Amino acid sequence: MKTWFSRRDIDRELEDEIQFHLSLETEANRRRGMSQADAERQARIDFGPIESVREEMRAQARTYWIRERLKELRYGWRQLLRSPSYGLTLVGILTAGIGLSVAVLTVAHQILLAPLSYADAGRVVILQEVNADQRLEPEDASPGNFFDWVDMQSGFSHLGASAPYGLDLRSGDRLISLETSRVSRHYLPALGARMAAGRPFDALHYEAGAEPAVILSWESWQTRFDGADGLVGSTVELDGQPVRVVGILNERTPDLRGAELLIPLNMSPGEASGRSGNYLSVVGRLQDGVAIDDANEDMQAIALAIAATHPTTNSGWSVRLTSLREHLLGRETGIVTALLVSCLLLLGIVFANLSTLAMAKGLARAPELAIRYSLGADRRVLIRQLAIENLVPVVISLVLGAALAWSILNILARYAPPSLSDLSHYDFGPTLAGGLTVLALITTLVSVVLPAVRLTSRDLASAMRISGGRSTRSRQNIRVQQALIALQVCLTMVLIAGSGLLYQSLQKLLDTDLGFSHYGRVTAELFTYGLHPDAASRSAFAQSLIDELGNRPEFEAVATASAMPLTPALYSREGVEVIGGDVGDGLRASANSVSTQYFDVLDIPLQRGRIFGPEDDFDSQRVAIVSEQFVKRFFKGASPLGERLRFGVLGPPREWTIVGVVGDILDAGPATPPQPIVYVPNAQARIGGMSIIAKTNGPVDNATELLENEIWRISPAQSLSSSGVLTDAVEKALQAARFVLTLLSVFAATAVGIAVIGLYGTTSYFVRRRKRETTIRVALGLTPLRALMWVQSQTLAACLIGILIGGGVLLMGMVWLQALVYTTSIRDPFVILGSAAVIFVLAVLAAAPSSIRSANTDPSLALRQD
Amino acid sequence: MKSNADLLQGTLDLLVLHILSGGQQHGWGVAQALKDRSQDRLIVTQGSLYPALHRLEREGWIKSEWGLSDNNRRAKFYRLSPAGKRQLELETDRWRRYTAGVDLVLSGAPG
């Protein structure tokens, strides 16, 4: 046991021993007639160099310690090989538990806590306009509002805005339109974007007549310019003009819209005062010491003041501040929290399991330990030996678990949807190591230290007859076992039912009817202003595209629109005024100018009135079609046919008469509720860009290329962007949900697997403990079937308690769970009852083999064994 | 003076075990016994005895405990354990066969 003393103790003992030796030698020398001084000197000489003796003994102690531990590890390894099923179970459960939970903990840490790459990102907020009365999704700001905010605000050091735009880049003999953001001077400083090369725009770039300048995104630098060195400072040709490259954004701090190019935002006074088009993404950087809530209050006061001066457009509209993290990952945080909780539940199951396994293992070892103890073995030695025995599988599992977590994370980083794509830049190492360390400590405590102490602390004499199950101790043990069964059942049930409810909710989301057909529809976004500067020629060009493409046998129907659902082609948000009604002010709707075939191509159903026809041309009465939501929100469901509207940006103020109502579409994906939309005919107004959509005639290979080539055949100089199959866009919108669903399924399945193994282990341990009692009952005439029921009733009672507690926990947790998930409701009694039933059946099955064995034992055999 | 480096590997262990088979003894006592019984032929650097004693203790061949010496001072006493007794028999046997072998070679004619 010397090795357990501190090094100082060893040194002191050695010192005492040496001093004793020297004094005896000195006395002997004195007897030989030496003087005291000579005697002492000679004693030291005969002893030899004391320091080297000390050093040798210390070194000896060290190598001895290592050798002993290796010996114990080898012994532990042999013990593990002796009962491979126990070892495999332990390693399997621990590996799965550690691997999965460390991976999830790491992802959760990244999404919920890890610092964003933007400079001092905690102070960055996104400002959006909100309208509580109209229940609209928060939206971007109009220029007029933005510039008022800039003038009136006091809480921000920078307040910047960006507006979407498109610039053409020549690639071979084609023009490609690149997503571009026009950014105000304070946009990049407010966001805290870092530069990979060059610098942000400065005041000179915003002066009238300044040389055109551009900042590239990391991606466009890599893909469009092959990561060329020396690009900064040179000029590139955009829209046929030479433009100076002043900088390249850092890979990890992209523009919030994901624009490939950034150019300075300069507005004419007319544009800058407009309040009916909401197309500015506004980013603010809070001043030091200003809390987001204070800034929020401040901005709301400002919004009230603006609404008072501009009631038509701003009545009811306020401002909402969102932290950058919530803006970037907001939708994901809820689901990640749910994953985190399920991860904790899984760990709970794993550790309950480990305790059970350790107890079962201890039961098997108890007689041996008792014998060794009674033969005088040191208790500390026994503890150490047991601990090291258990340490072997724990260490193996930690290594395997770390490898598993690492592979899971790499898979996640590769396949995670773009909304979680920050994962691909993330350095998992530190969090992974931290999580592993914590888990290693808990695991060591639960499955190494505690069982060893427990096993040796019990009255070891009683351990000799432990299999009889007669002592008070063993009755307490049965209570502990029952509690462990109940705990595992409860946790498993919460996990299964919780995952089931989330799964159901996500499944509903995936099954949501979007309100339009996307299968076999291809789209392409065109920029027409350059080639067709005036409205009439744009309209004529659109019609020629529709006609020519419509003649192709591959396309059944073709339409154009200024915006397409689920594609980057943005809807324009417009202030809407209902003339002569008492509908109120501050109405806003998405506006889309469409060709007559649009509703047909997308299968958007007409509900009332009519759709557009050829008669709705430039010279005839202005007409509009509105969506169901538009009617619900602005007309309280009353018929809007014949009502007249006024819009801000659709040319000079004109009145538009509502002639039809169509079904709602979920244009931003299934997780966003439908928004009010107003459609106007292409021929009467065009808003923003132009997208073309074609419905293919049955399945067509390479439909996207076909569409692109046709457009270029008709208009060779046309620039195109974001062409693709609409179904892909739908898939992209569902990617995050699908991804989480897969994760959840894997998680729940693992948990169930571990729980079943655990239940099997626990019940078989339990049954073994009660074997004697069972056999006596059988000997006294209990039929085997009754005996089986009796054995099962012991474990199933614990199961039922677990199920009841689990049900209670679920009911309480439901409110919280609901807040996490998407729009669908999760209250489903069938999921809860179903999971209870599943658990119960699993418990019965897990308990069955050992119960049957126990009930069938020949009493004489079982008693003799004891 | 001879140091124990000159003793054949393992010989010191054998000698210590043998000395302790006569009863418990502290370190100085072992050194004295070694010196006396070899008639001063084997003089071990006294200090090097202690690492040997501790090593033997770790092997489980000898046990130690603190007690009072003849002149009433605190001393550490070593005694042979049952395992040490077996080890001593084994080592003695091995030593005898070894020296007998060496003797046989030396008593024959060279070449």
Side-chain angles (χ1 to χ4, degrees), chain A residues 261-275:
Chain A
L261 307 174
L262 304 183
I263 57 170
L265 170 71
N266 281 317
M267 284 189 176
S268 67
E271 188 186 0
S273 61
R275 284 181 210 275

mmCIF file with all atom_site columns, all heavy atoms in Angstrom, chain A residues 261-275:
data_model
loop_
_atom_site.group_PDB
_atom_site.id
_atom_site.type_symbol
_atom_site.label_atom_id
_atom_site.label_alt_id
_atom_site.label_comp_id
_atom_site.label_asym_id
_atom_site.label_entity_id
_atom_site.label_seq_id
_atom_site.pdbx_PDB_ins_code
_atom_site.Cartn_x
_atom_site.Cartn_y
_atom_site.Cartn_z
_atom_site.occupancy
_atom_site.B_iso_or_equiv
_atom_site.pdbx_formal_charge
_atom_site.auth_seq_id
_atom_site.auth_comp_id
_atom_site.auth_asym_id
_atom_site.auth_atom_id
_atom_site.pdbx_PDB_model_num
ATOM 1   N N   . LEU A 1 261 ? -21.644 39.357 -54.837 1.00 0.00 ? 261 LEU A N   1
ATOM 2   C CA  . LEU A 1 261 ? -20.981 40.637 -55.049 1.00 0.00 ? 261 LEU A CA  1
ATOM 3   C C   . LEU A 1 261 ? -21.613 41.694 -54.149 1.00 0.00 ? 261 LEU A C   1
ATOM 4   O O   . LEU A 1 261 ? -22.817 41.659 -53.890 1.00 0.00 ? 261 LEU A O   1
ATOM 5   C CB  . LEU A 1 261 ? -21.146 41.100 -56.507 1.00 0.00 ? 261 LEU A CB  1
ATOM 6   C CG  . LEU A 1 261 ? -20.734 40.133 -57.614 1.00 0.00 ? 261 LEU A CG  1
ATOM 7   C CD1 . LEU A 1 261 ? -21.127 40.730 -58.969 1.00 0.00 ? 261 LEU A CD1 1
ATOM 8   C CD2 . LEU A 1 261 ? -19.241 39.885 -57.562 1.00 0.00 ? 261 LEU A CD2 1
ATOM 9   N N   . LEU A 1 262 ? -20.790 42.615 -53.661 1.00 0.00 ? 262 LEU A N   1
ATOM 10  C CA  . LEU A 1 262 ? -21.302 43.762 -52.919 1.00 0.00 ? 262 LEU A CA  1
ATOM 11  C C   . LEU A 1 262 ? -20.879 45.016 -53.652 1.00 0.00 ? 262 LEU A C   1
ATOM 12  O O   . LEU A 1 262 ? -19.714 45.146 -54.048 1.00 0.00 ? 262 LEU A O   1
ATOM 13  C CB  . LEU A 1 262 ? -20.737 43.807 -51.500 1.00 0.00 ? 262 LEU A CB  1
ATOM 14  C CG  . LEU A 1 262 ? -20.923 42.597 -50.595 1.00 0.00 ? 262 LEU A CG  1
ATOM 15  C CD1 . LEU A 1 262 ? -20.343 42.886 -49.219 1.00 0.00 ? 262 LEU A CD1 1
ATOM 16  C CD2 . LEU A 1 262 ? -22.388 42.251 -50.460 1.00 0.00 ? 262 LEU A CD2 1
ATOM 17  N N   . ILE A 1 263 ? -21.836 45.940 -53.849 1.00 0.00 ? 263 ILE A N   1
ATOM 18  C CA  . ILE A 1 263 ? -21.480 47.230 -54.441 1.00 0.00 ? 263 ILE A CA  1
ATOM 19  C C   . ILE A 1 263 ? -22.068 48.330 -53.559 1.00 0.00 ? 263 ILE A C   1
ATOM 20  O O   . ILE A 1 263 ? -22.992 48.065 -52.783 1.00 0.00 ? 263 ILE A O   1
ATOM 21  C CB  . ILE A 1 263 ? -22.003 47.364 -55.894 1.00 0.00 ? 263 ILE A CB  1
ATOM 22  C CG1 . ILE A 1 263 ? -23.524 47.165 -55.935 1.00 0.00 ? 263 ILE A CG1 1
ATOM 23  C CG2 . ILE A 1 263 ? -21.316 46.357 -56.815 1.00 0.00 ? 263 ILE A CG2 1
ATOM 24  C CD1 . ILE A 1 263 ? -24.138 47.513 -57.278 1.00 0.00 ? 263 ILE A CD1 1
ATOM 25  N N   . PRO A 1 264 ? -21.532 49.549 -53.651 1.00 0.00 ? 264 PRO A N   1
ATOM 26  C CA  . PRO A 1 264 ? -22.059 50.623 -52.795 1.00 0.00 ? 264 PRO A CA  1
ATOM 27  C C   . PRO A 1 264 ? -23.524 50.916 -53.127 1.00 0.00 ? 264 PRO A C   1
ATOM 28  O O   . PRO A 1 264 ? -23.935 50.854 -54.290 1.00 0.00 ? 264 PRO A O   1
ATOM 29  C CB  . PRO A 1 264 ? -21.175 51.823 -53.136 1.00 0.00 ? 264 PRO A CB  1
ATOM 30  C CG  . PRO A 1 264 ? -19.938 51.238 -53.733 1.00 0.00 ? 264 PRO A CG  1
ATOM 31  C CD  . PRO A 1 264 ? -20.383 49.999 -54.455 1.00 0.00 ? 264 PRO A CD  1
ATOM 32  N N   . LEU A 1 265 ? -24.285 51.172 -52.075 1.00 0.00 ? 265 LEU A N   1
ATOM 33  C CA  . LEU A 1 265 ? -25.703 51.519 -52.243 1.00 0.00 ? 265 LEU A CA  1
ATOM 34  C C   . LEU A 1 265 ? -25.827 53.034 -52.295 1.00 0.00 ? 265 LEU A C   1
ATOM 35  O O   . LEU A 1 265 ? -25.547 53.720 -51.311 1.00 0.00 ? 265 LEU A O   1
ATOM 36  C CB  . LEU A 1 265 ? -26.515 50.966 -51.061 1.00 0.00 ? 265 LEU A CB  1
ATOM 37  C CG  . LEU A 1 265 ? -27.969 51.416 -50.927 1.00 0.00 ? 265 LEU A CG  1
ATOM 38  C CD1 . LEU A 1 265 ? -28.833 50.783 -52.013 1.00 0.00 ? 265 LEU A CD1 1
ATOM 39  C CD2 . LEU A 1 265 ? -28.527 51.064 -49.566 1.00 0.00 ? 265 LEU A CD2 1
ATOM 40  N N   . ASN A 1 266 ? -26.173 53.541 -53.468 1.00 0.00 ? 266 ASN A N   1
ATOM 41  C CA  . ASN A 1 266 ? -26.456 54.971 -53.601 1.00 0.00 ? 266 ASN A CA  1
ATOM 42  C C   . ASN A 1 266 ? -27.885 55.114 -54.072 1.00 0.00 ? 266 ASN A C   1
ATOM 43  O O   . ASN A 1 266 ? -28.317 54.428 -54.990 1.00 0.00 ? 266 ASN A O   1
ATOM 44  C CB  . ASN A 1 266 ? -25.509 55.616 -54.618 1.00 0.00 ? 266 ASN A CB  1
ATOM 45  C CG  . ASN A 1 266 ? -24.137 55.878 -54.009 1.00 0.00 ? 266 ASN A CG  1
ATOM 46  O OD1 . ASN A 1 266 ? -24.050 56.350 -52.874 1.00 0.00 ? 266 ASN A OD1 1
ATOM 47  N ND2 . ASN A 1 266 ? -23.088 55.547 -54.748 1.00 0.00 ? 266 ASN A ND2 1
ATOM 48  N N   . MET A 1 267 ? -28.635 55.983 -53.413 1.00 0.00 ? 267 MET A N   1
ATOM 49  C CA  . MET A 1 267 ? -30.043 56.123 -53.777 1.00 0.00 ? 267 MET A CA  1
ATOM 50  C C   . MET A 1 267 ? -30.341 57.556 -54.210 1.00 0.00 ? 267 MET A C   1
ATOM 51  O O   . MET A 1 267 ? -29.815 58.503 -53.623 1.00 0.00 ? 267 MET A O   1
ATOM 52  C CB  . MET A 1 267 ? -30.921 55.788 -52.574 1.00 0.00 ? 267 MET A CB  1
ATOM 53  C CG  . MET A 1 267 ? -31.031 54.308 -52.300 1.00 0.00 ? 267 MET A CG  1
ATOM 54  S SD  . MET A 1 267 ? -32.270 54.025 -51.051 1.00 0.00 ? 267 MET A SD  1
ATOM 55  C CE  . MET A 1 267 ? -32.267 52.250 -51.021 1.00 0.00 ? 267 MET A CE  1
ATOM 56  N N   . SER A 1 268 ? -31.224 57.662 -55.190 1.00 0.00 ? 268 SER A N   1
ATOM 57  C CA  . SER A 1 268 ? -31.735 58.979 -55.549 1.00 0.00 ? 268 SER A CA  1
ATOM 58  C C   . SER A 1 268 ? -32.632 59.437 -54.405 1.00 0.00 ? 268 SER A C   1
ATOM 59  O O   . SER A 1 268 ? -33.166 58.595 -53.670 1.00 0.00 ? 268 SER A O   1
ATOM 60  C CB  . SER A 1 268 ? -32.548 58.878 -56.840 1.00 0.00 ? 268 SER A CB  1
ATOM 61  O OG  . SER A 1 268 ? -33.711 58.111 -56.593 1.00 0.00 ? 268 SER A OG  1
ATOM 62  N N   . PRO A 1 269 ? -32.831 60.759 -54.264 1.00 0.00 ? 269 PRO A N   1
ATOM 63  C CA  . PRO A 1 269 ? -33.698 61.233 -53.170 1.00 0.00 ? 269 PRO A CA  1
ATOM 64  C C   . PRO A 1 269 ? -35.085 60.595 -53.249 1.00 0.00 ? 269 PRO A C   1
ATOM 65  O O   . PRO A 1 269 ? -35.681 60.275 -52.224 1.00 0.00 ? 269 PRO A O   1
ATOM 66  C CB  . PRO A 1 269 ? -33.768 62.740 -53.404 1.00 0.00 ? 269 PRO A CB  1
ATOM 67  C CG  . PRO A 1 269 ? -32.516 63.068 -54.152 1.00 0.00 ? 269 PRO A CG  1
ATOM 68  C CD  . PRO A 1 269 ? -32.204 61.855 -55.004 1.00 0.00 ? 269 PRO A CD  1
ATOM 69  N N   . GLY A 1 270 ? -35.559 60.359 -54.469 1.00 0.00 ? 270 GLY A N   1
ATOM 70  C CA  . GLY A 1 270 ? -36.891 59.751 -54.632 1.00 0.00 ? 270 GLY A CA  1
ATOM 71  C C   . GLY A 1 270 ? -36.932 58.355 -54.049 1.00 0.00 ? 270 GLY A C   1
ATOM 72  O O   . GLY A 1 270 ? -37.831 58.005 -53.283 1.00 0.00 ? 270 GLY A O   1
ATOM 73  N N   . GLU A 1 271 ? -35.917 57.551 -54.383 1.00 0.00 ? 271 GLU A N   1
ATOM 74  C CA  . GLU A 1 271 ? -35.893 56.175 -53.888 1.00 0.00 ? 271 GLU A CA  1
ATOM 75  C C   . GLU A 1 271 ? -35.714 56.172 -52.373 1.00 0.00 ? 271 GLU A C   1
ATOM 76  O O   . GLU A 1 271 ? -36.349 55.396 -51.656 1.00 0.00 ? 271 GLU A O   1
ATOM 77  C CB  . GLU A 1 271 ? -34.744 55.386 -54.547 1.00 0.00 ? 271 GLU A CB  1
ATOM 78  C CG  . GLU A 1 271 ? -34.798 53.902 -54.223 1.00 0.00 ? 271 GLU A CG  1
ATOM 79  C CD  . GLU A 1 271 ? -33.597 53.118 -54.751 1.00 0.00 ? 271 GLU A CD  1
ATOM 80  O OE1 . GLU A 1 271 ? -32.704 53.711 -55.371 1.00 0.00 ? 271 GLU A OE1 1
ATOM 81  O OE2 . GLU A 1 271 ? -33.565 51.895 -54.510 1.00 0.00 ? 271 GLU A OE2 1
ATOM 82  N N   . ALA A 1 272 ? -34.845 57.085 -51.885 1.00 0.00 ? 272 ALA A N   1
ATOM 83  C CA  . ALA A 1 272 ? -34.508 57.082 -50.475 1.00 0.00 ? 272 ALA A CA  1
ATOM 84  C C   . ALA A 1 272 ? -35.694 57.444 -49.589 1.00 0.00 ? 272 ALA A C   1
ATOM 85  O O   . ALA A 1 272 ? -35.715 57.118 -48.405 1.00 0.00 ? 272 ALA A O   1
ATOM 86  C CB  . ALA A 1 272 ? -33.354 58.036 -50.203 1.00 0.00 ? 272 ALA A CB  1
ATOM 87  N N   . SER A 1 273 ? -36.700 58.117 -50.155 1.00 0.00 ? 273 SER A N   1
ATOM 88  C CA  . SER A 1 273 ? -37.824 58.501 -49.306 1.00 0.00 ? 273 SER A CA  1
ATOM 89  C C   . SER A 1 273 ? -39.001 57.550 -49.471 1.00 0.00 ? 273 SER A C   1
ATOM 90  O O   . SER A 1 273 ? -40.022 57.706 -48.813 1.00 0.00 ? 273 SER A O   1
ATOM 91  C CB  . SER A 1 273 ? -38.245 59.938 -49.615 1.00 0.00 ? 273 SER A CB  1
ATOM 92  O OG  . SER A 1 273 ? -38.642 60.006 -50.978 1.00 0.00 ? 273 SER A OG  1
ATOM 93  N N   . GLY A 1 274 ? -38.869 56.548 -50.343 1.00 0.00 ? 274 GLY A N   1
ATOM 94  C CA  . GLY A 1 274 ? -39.988 55.631 -50.583 1.00 0.00 ? 274 GLY A CA  1
ATOM 95  C C   . GLY A 1 274 ? -40.312 54.783 -49.365 1.00 0.00 ? 274 GLY A C   1
ATOM 96  O O   . GLY A 1 274 ? -39.420 54.339 -48.644 1.00 0.00 ? 274 GLY A O   1
ATOM 97  N N   . ARG A 1 275 ? -41.600 54.590 -49.116 1.00 0.00 ? 275 ARG A N   1
ATOM 98  C CA  . ARG A 1 275 ? -41.985 53.794 -47.958 1.00 0.00 ? 275 ARG A CA  1
ATOM 99  C C   . ARG A 1 275 ? -42.881 52.618 -48.325 1.00 0.00 ? 275 ARG A C   1
ATOM 100 O O   . ARG A 1 275 ? -43.413 51.947 -47.457 1.00 0.00 ? 275 ARG A O   1
ATOM 101 C CB  . ARG A 1 275 ? -42.749 54.665 -46.949 1.00 0.00 ? 275 ARG A CB  1
ATOM 102 C CG  . ARG A 1 275 ? -41.846 55.573 -46.168 1.00 0.00 ? 275 ARG A CG  1
ATOM 103 C CD  . ARG A 1 275 ? -42.594 56.409 -45.172 1.00 0.00 ? 275 ARG A CD  1
ATOM 104 N NE  . ARG A 1 275 ? -41.885 57.666 -44.993 1.00 0.00 ? 275 ARG A NE  1
ATOM 105 C CZ  . ARG A 1 275 ? -40.873 57.825 -44.148 1.00 0.00 ? 275 ARG A CZ  1
ATOM 106 N NH1 . ARG A 1 275 ? -40.486 56.827 -43.390 1.00 0.00 ? 275 ARG A NH1 1
ATOM 107 N NH2 . ARG A 1 275 ? -40.268 58.987 -44.061 1.00 0.00 ? 275 ARG A NH2 1
#
